Amino acid sequence: MLRIYNSLSRKLEEFKPVYPDSLNVGMYTCGPTVYDFAHIGNFRTYTTSDLLLRTLQYNGYEVDYVMNITDVGHLTGDNQGDADTGEDRMEKTARREGKAAWEIAAFYTDAFLKDYKALNLTPPTNLVKATDHIKEQIDLIKTLEEKGFTYTTSDGVYFDTSKFKEYGKLSNLDEIKEGARIEVNPEKHNPRDFALWKFSYPHGKTFEEHQRQIASSPDGHRDPRNDNEQESSKRQMEWESPWGIGFPGWHIECSAMAMKYLGSSFDIHVGGIDLRETHHPNEIAQSEAATGKPFVKYWVHGAFILVQGERMSKSKGNNYKLYDLEKEGYDPLAMRYLYMQAHYRQEMNFTFPALEAAQISLNKLREFVIRAEEAGETHKIGCAEFEQRFLDALNDDLNLPQALAVAWELVRSDYPNSAKLKSLLKFDKVLGLDLEHAQIIHDREELVDIPQDIQDMVRERENLRRNGDFKAADQFREKIKKLGYTLIDSEKGTQVKKIRS
Ligand code: AMP
Ligand code: ZN
């Protein structure tokens, strides 16, 4: 029986699907905002979702898994604790890169999916984009309006949190952010009210009307809550609505799409712990106010990853992407292994030595698989004792560190290799380390064609190292890296690996 920590009750609970005795489970995870590459923090959360999904499947459930792609409406003010202010992240990046917002979304969605695959994360049954569901979002806002949960201000349509009596049941009100570092919008009835629909231009005007107003007003009639740049340029992503031209607020997309694909009440909703304090209470409010039914039964939140003990941020230069790790010669699946070494509700600390250790463990597991396969015997049954202990660890609130420990005990045990292999490959249905392809991965690394000029540079670098000129050798390493290859120095010599493009 699977036990999982439910943020709603703040307790460990036995997992029982919404529909009793059903083996079908509906699960939703808040996906990325596609204005930049996803970093290893974001991927920790998606790996937690994946491990939960695989654990459910291991227990015999069939999971309908939905993830969204936020390609509009997530404003920069969210960094200060207010998701309704600032500029749209997509539009801002588009302006900075001189591209169309749609191009930005397409580019970073594609990059996200490549990394997603490299981490062997299970493809969602439905991967859904906010911009493909504007109608569903408008319809939901209309329902909320009809039921008296909304009001309109000069910059948008807002949800009135005081009308939803259970607001704060996921996080209490002290925990729900109200715009920590910015002036509270004076038109909001309550500081925690949030935008369902934002107007592109103030008072629901068209761009042209707005421009005329700016031109005729002596002080430029700027709204201090918006970025100046945004005020004076036309938005690329905007839609007609009953309330005026604009775009959806960040929270409404998840309610609209989750309910479209999974129904008004479904089993599990996953996200990073930060979402427990704003985004998720708002999802609950919108959905339950509209339907009158409980939205989600189990809320599962993953803890953050720190890098060398610090919060990740662009300014610190420590918001590593998968590519940064691959450039150093690490396998994306070594990162997956590292994620599994921490319990999902514990903050974890990323360091390169820890990643190195994870890579070594992964290599050893692969070597075991190759050796066991070479032996050629087949065992029809695995090692029941270990299989039971592995399942127990998973079902104990996804105790992956324990599950990995059981896998290692199995490998080191006295059972015949082929029986151990059978159980290990079964475990890998959840671990997702692609162990069944260990031989292929090994061969691919051995066989990759290294162009002659790279080989020459590697040789040159080795000479430099032999002569103690490490500075010049490092310059060669950098040059080789720029050409798409990485070097791993070991006792056996230098191995050259192609960096995934
Ligand atoms: P975003 O693209 O910013 O909406 O974030 C996508 C997901 O990544 C959300 O579920 C966040 O909670 C999660 N997330 C962001 N930063 C981290 C981090 N450092 N560690 C773990 N999860 C994170
Ligand atoms: Zn969401």
Side-chain angles (χ1 to χ4, degrees):
M1 185 61 80
L2 170 63
R3 279 155 59 84
I4 187 92
Y5 184 85
N6 188 353
S7 301
L8 201 56
S9 63
R10 295 168 191 238
K11 281 205 288 273
L12 269 175
E13 285 182 32
E14 215 169 81
F15 177 74
K16 289 193 187 136
V18 168
Y19 300 101
D21 304 323
S22 163
L23 281 178
N24 292 320
V25 172
M27 174 166 144
Y28 185 95
T29 292
C30 292
T33 305
V34 282
Y35 69 108
D36 199 351
F37 294 104
H39 54 59
I40 56 171
N42 305 132
F43 277 112
R44 183 180 189 201
T45 295
Y46 306 127
T47 305
T48 295
S49 290
D50 186 58
L51 293 167
L52 176 53
L53 165 70
R54 287 169 181 261
T55 296
L56 288 160
Q57 289 171 335
Y58 202 78
N59 277 281
Y61 292 106
E62 203 159 299
V63 187
D64 213 346
Y65 182 33
V66 179
M67 183 186 281
N68 66 307
I69 297 277
T70 300
D71 54 0
V72 67
H74 194 171
L75 306 190
T76 52
D78 183 42
N79 297 340
Q80 284 95 46
D82 191 335
D84 300 329
T85 55
E87 199 179 354
D88 189 304
R89 291 173 194 231
M90 306 304 306
E91 301 256 341
K92 186 173 178 182
T93 309
R95 207 186 327 275
R96 196 185 60 228
E97 296 192 10
K99 295 200 178 112
W102 300 97
E103 275 179 82
I104 297 292
F107 176 80
Y108 287 112
T109 303
D110 192 45
F112 171 73
L113 292 177
K114 280 190 186 140
D115 285 352
Y116 192 90
K117 188 162 179 232
L119 283 166
N120 205 13
L121 299 171
T122 312
T125 327
N126 290 292
L127 183 72
V128 290
K129 291 182 189 165
T131 53
D132 286 340
H133 296 80
I134 300 296
K135 184 183 175 301
E136 286 82 350
Q137 296 176 68
I138 290 177
D139 286 347
L140 185 55
I141 303 170
K142 275 200 229 159
T143 305
L144 291 170
E145 186 178 43
E146 279 157 24
K147 296 196 170 182
F149 286 100
T150 68
Y151 60 90
T152 302
T153 72
S154 63
D155 73 345
V157 180
Y158 281 80
F159 185 93
D160 187 341
T161 51
S162 68
K163 299 260 169 69
F164 182 67
K165 293 291 165 260
E166 294 196 313
Y167 194 64
K169 70 177 171 181
L170 179 63
S171 294
N172 64 43
L173 288 184
D174 290 343
E175 290 166 324
I176 300 179
K177 298 229 171 71
E178 52 166 86
R181 272 185 275 144
I182 28 189
E183 251 175 79
V184 175
N185 179 347
E187 287 184 76
K188 279 196 202 176
H189 296 184
N190 315 287
R192 292 179 189 81
D193 293 353
F194 55 91
L196 298 164
W197 187 261
K198 286 277 285 193
F199 298 136
S200 292
Y201 317 104
H203 313 289
K205 288 190 168 48
T206 62
F207 176 62
E208 289 72 22
E209 286 165 346
H210 175 51
Q211 287 294 66
R212 276 200 294 279
Q213 183 162 20
I214 292 178
S216 64
S217 148
D219 62 359
H221 194 81
R222 292 206 184 286
D223 184 332
R225 277 168 287 144
N226 289 328
D227 288 358
N228 290 349
E229 251 190 315
Q230 184 195 3
E231 277 261 292
S232 52
S233 57
K234 187 162 166 51
R235 272 188 65 89
Q236 297 181 35
M237 289 179 160
E238 57 183 11
W239 294 265
E240 298 276 355
S241 82
W243 312 279
I245 295 171
F247 57 99
W250 173 39
H251 314 295
I252 195 78
E253 65 174 82
C254 286
S255 294
M257 297 192 286
M259 292 199 288
K260 170 170 177 166
Y261 293 96
L262 298 171
S264 320
S265 292
F266 62 94
D267 301 282
I268 305 174
H269 197 311
V270 186
I273 190 73
D274 56 326
L275 302 185
R276 192 177 64 98
E277 291 168 10
T278 24
H279 183 54
H280 289 164
N282 295 349
E283 277 190 43
I284 293 177
Q286 296 163 153
S287 311
E288 298 191 356
T291 66
K293 296 182 195 151
F295 178 43
V296 171
K297 191 164 177 194
Y298 301 91
W299 286 88
V300 176
H301 291 106
F304 264 36
I305 195 168
L306 302 177
V307 171
Q308 270 119 17
E310 295 196 68
R311 282 294 282 251
M312 296 177 71
S313 80
K314 211 175 222 169
S315 56
K316 285 193 202 130
N318 67 359
N319 60 346
Y320 293 124
K321 319 290 174 342
L322 215 48
Y323 180 74
D324 298 316
L325 313 183
E326 287 178 81
K327 263 193 323 202
E328 300 305 320
Y330 296 104
D331 191 322
L333 292 180
M335 189 64 222
R336 184 177 170 108
Y337 191 101
L338 185 61
Y339 287 134
M340 294 191 286
Q341 286 182 295
H343 188 262
Y344 77 95
R345 285 197 288 122
Q346 297 278 306
E347 221 163 44
M348 85 177 254
N349 190 25
F350 172 85
T351 64
F352 277 100
L355 181 61
E356 176 76 31
Q359 178 77 63
I360 291 170
S361 301
L362 173 61
N363 293 349
K364 283 190 180 150
L365 281 184
R366 284 177 176 160
E367 280 157 24
F368 166 76
V369 172
I370 292 170
R371 244 184 301 122
E373 279 174 347
E374 273 167 4
E377 328 143 35
T378 45
H379 249 79
K380 290 214 174 57
I381 48 161
C383 312
E385 166 209 347
F386 287 104
E387 291 187 4
Q388 186 58 49
R389 287 176 55 208
F390 182 81
L391 180 64
D392 290 346
L394 292 180
N395 285 350
D396 178 17
D397 194 26
L398 305 185
N399 192 342
L400 263 300
Q402 179 61 25
L404 274 180
V406 173
W408 276 106
E409 264 190 69
L410 165 83
V411 168
R412 294 189 180 121
S413 71
D414 296 331
Y415 283 98
N417 271 351
S418 55
K420 293 198 271 190
L421 180 63
K422 190 152 180 71
S423 293
L424 186 64
L425 293 181
K426 197 167 169 193
F427 296 174
D428 201 38
K429 296 247 177 294
V430 177
L431 303 177
L433 296 170
D434 202 17
L435 293 176
E436 69 176 317
H437 294 123
Q439 183 72 56
I440 295 171
I441 293 167
H442 177 262
D443 293 349
R444 199 168 51 211
E445 281 180 5
E446 295 267 296
L447 289 177
V448 67
D449 264 345
I450 309 295
Q452 192 58 46
D453 57 332
I454 303 284
Q455 288 187 31
D456 292 345
M457 276 193 264
V458 173
R459 213 162 301 124
E460 182 75 31
R461 176 177 170 270
E462 268 167 17
N463 285 336
L464 289 166
R465 271 161 58 91
R466 226 168 284 133
N467 296 332
D469 191 351
F470 294 108
K471 202 162 164 223
D474 278 350
Q475 283 166 355
F476 263 99
R477 173 195 276 279
E478 282 312 304
K479 225 159 123 188
I480 293 168
K481 199 187 273 180
K482 285 206 181 93
L483 293 169
Y485 294 84
T486 185
L487 305 179
I488 304 159
D489 294 315
S490 74
E491 287 158 16
K492 285 188 240 153
T494 301
Q495 196 198 346
V496 188
K497 268 178 89 173
K498 192 164 172 25
I499 301 171
R500 182 170 62 99
S501 51

